[in-house]
Amino acid sequence: MSVSVWRKIVCCVTGACFVLLALYSPAAGAAARLPAAAAARLKEAVVLYTGSSSAFVNNAVKTLDASPVVKNSRTLVPVRFIAESLGARVDYDAETKTVTVGYSDRTVKMVLGSRQITVNGRQSTLDVPAESLENRTFIPLRALTEALGKKVFYSGGLIVISDCDGILDAGADSGLIQAIIAGFGQENAPQQQASAGTLALKLIPYNGGIFTVNMPAGWQIKTAGDGSTFSFLIRDPGETSRQIFYCGEVGPLYLLEEQRKLDQWYMSMGGYPIQWIDVPVVNPLTPENFLQQFHAFMATRIAQGFMPELSSLDDVEIISSEPFSTPFTGGKAAVMRALFKHGGKLCEGLFSVSVAPLLPFCNMAGGGIGYAFMFTGMTAQKDEFRGCESDLLQSLRSFAFSQQYLNRCLQNQNQVWQGIFRTSQILSSTSDTIMQVWENRNRTEDILSEKRSDAILGRERLYDPDTGQVYEFDNGFYDSYNPNRGRYDMNNLQPLPDNDYNLWTAPPLNGYNYLH
């Protein structure tokens, strides 16, 4: 684990049957073993890892002939193994390609290649069609468990299917969850890219001396500043768009262009150098304007001397913004969901920040400035973000200062920061706010995010009404396809309805690979 500390500068910025699956593959040759503490809890459980051929059924080791997989942000599970492990009966009609599962008072039917699933005659739509892998029928995990009347718990790649809510707690049971993962020989293994569009993260504890945090395995952490200016960046060195960051202070920021011109004139007349002369104007000073101008701040000498590795968040496009209260006088705060560019790649993130003026414009040099406080973000590539958001948030929430460090900070900070530093988990409230905004988001925001993504990337989506499969093409393709659709084997493609959530959030296939 690589750790570096940057220098500080001025103006810095319980007994029911259930199923567990985790999104990692066991190390080659590692013998799976369920820890004693977990065995007692999971004595009537089925435990699997995505990609692993080993499983536990009632604490007995079993071998799967078809392992769970992740495809296009969906965890797919073998129907027969899961269903029979829960005590269900499974039949397959080869002629109609129909799978029938009988469990308790439920009869579940699905057809290979179809997105339709019926439970006791009531039909619903799968996110992706049932498909055959290794001569076994696979469907999305959540669809199967809900069809069988089970509850689903997810944390850090571990999935629990049970008959009751609260079978595990991501916080209180974090040690048990890590022990289960370690039992598969994965204690120190980094997360893997399980499949295109899916990032499987595993959180491991890290002790930074003055703080602790559970961070994704294989990622690196860097820190800067002290007290109110303390900042950290947790990042995947292999893909730097994957990151979690916190900046205690960012600034100063000019409130008015007039102030910057006045400072430039003052320096030209022989006045003392103003260290922040190259910072951007954020007018009005709002969370949204700050986020959109952050790229300009990252180009300044202050930012480059303090935290140059932090993403500049280029071409920010805000999808939604929810205000919340802030302890900073005259300030505003918001949680924002936004698209942005990083290294030319389209990314998505959730951001929280408070902004407030510090010195008013008074027709003198050195005034007219404000700051951003407690700027927090977690990001990943666009097609990965929704799949790893809960893991990133869990990592952020786990950050805690040592009591000794807090005591020192309380002696050296102003009244506002003293209030903030009275708890070791200074990001607990922030992460709770972010989680609340994310979980309460309107479905139209997810659709808007996909539409704006298409616009930025120059793509458009079409779907097959018969199968429900979504395909993506270059923008403008439909205009040429529609009058000539008779020339194609796949001749019934249509634009996605504006408000169809399932279609807009379904992972699209490259249409050119299927159009003949």
Side-chain angles (χ1 to χ4, degrees), residues 5-280:
V5 180
W6 298 331
R7 63 186 178 90
K8 175 185 177 183
I9 65 173
V10 178
C11 302
C12 77
V13 264
T14 297
C17 181
F18 51 93
V19 183
L20 291 91
L21 302 94
L23 308 184
Y24 319 102
S25 298
R33 176 183 298 176
L34 203 59
R41 179 83 71 93
L42 309 178
K43 60 183 179 180
E44 296 181 9
V46 180
V47 186
L48 309 92
Y49 271 108
T50 294
S52 172
S53 60
S54 296
F56 295 97
V57 178
N58 299 331
N59 290 344
V61 179
K62 301 292 182 179
T63 300
L64 289 79
D65 54 6
S67 306
V69 297
V70 178
K71 294 184 65 177
N72 297 319
S73 300
R74 296 292 186 273
T75 301
L76 305 180
V77 294
V79 172
R80 183 175 295 275
F81 183 87
I82 300 297
E84 290 183 347
S85 295
L86 292 170
R89 185 189 70 256
V90 181
D91 296 314
Y92 178 66
D93 186 328
E95 183 176 348
T96 62
K97 298 182 178 180
T98 300
V99 179
T100 303
V101 180
Y103 179 72
S104 185
D105 59 349
R106 296 170 181 256
T107 300
V108 182
K109 291 181 179 288
M110 63 205 80
V111 179
L112 285 175
S114 171
R115 294 179 64 214
Q116 305 306 313
I117 183 172
T118 62
V119 180
N120 292 344
R122 180 172 297 179
Q123 191 175 85
S124 59
T125 302
L126 299 170
D127 290 339
V128 295
E131 62 178 296
S132 178
L133 300 172
E134 301 180 54
N135 294 320
R136 290 292 181 267
T137 301
F138 280 70
I139 68 168
L141 165 69
R142 191 171 296 274
L144 178 59
T145 56
E146 290 180 352
L148 297 177
K150 301 297 180 179
K151 305 293 184 181
V152 179
F153 165 86
Y154 175 87
S155 177
L158 193 65
I159 303 168
V160 181
I161 307 164
S162 71
D163 291 321
C164 58
D165 291 316
I167 195 68
L168 285 175
D169 183 276
D173 294 322
S174 60
L176 178 60
I177 292 170
Q178 291 298 327
I180 296 169
I181 293 172
F184 277 81
Q186 293 292 293
E187 185 172 13
N188 295 308
Q191 75 286 337
Q192 303 174 16
Q193 185 72 24
S195 180
T198 299
L199 184 65
L201 300 179
K202 184 189 69 173
L203 304 184
I204 60 173
Y206 173 78
N207 191 327
I210 63 172
F211 67 90
T212 58
V213 65
N214 295 330
M215 58 184 283
W219 288 25
Q220 297 174 344
I221 183 168
K222 295 185 178 182
T223 62
D226 186 59
S228 63
T229 68
F230 178 85
S231 306
F232 68 78
L233 169 64
I234 300 174
R235 166 176 283 179
D236 183 348
E239 176 49 65
T240 55
S241 64
R242 303 168 187 159
Q243 60 181 350
I244 307 165
F245 65 84
Y246 166 80
C247 301
E249 294 180 1
V250 179
L253 307 162
Y254 278 119
L255 302 179
L256 297 170
E257 180 63 31
E258 290 83 351
Q259 182 66 60
R260 178 159 62 181
K261 290 180 178 179
L262 180 60
D263 287 356
Q264 290 172 337
W265 173 84
Y266 167 78
M267 290 174 59
S268 71
M269 298 301 292
Y272 290 107
I274 296 177
Q275 297 181 13
W276 56 85
I277 193 65
D278 59 344
V279 302

Side-chain angles (χ1 to χ4, degrees), residues 485-505:
R485 61 175 60 240
R487 301 178 182 177
Y488 300 95
D489 293 339
M490 194 161 56
N491 57 17
N492 61 341
L493 296 181
Q494 299 293 334
L496 273 62
D498 275 347
N499 298 315
D500 192 313
Y501 178 83
N502 289 331
L503 289 178
W504 278 105
T505 57

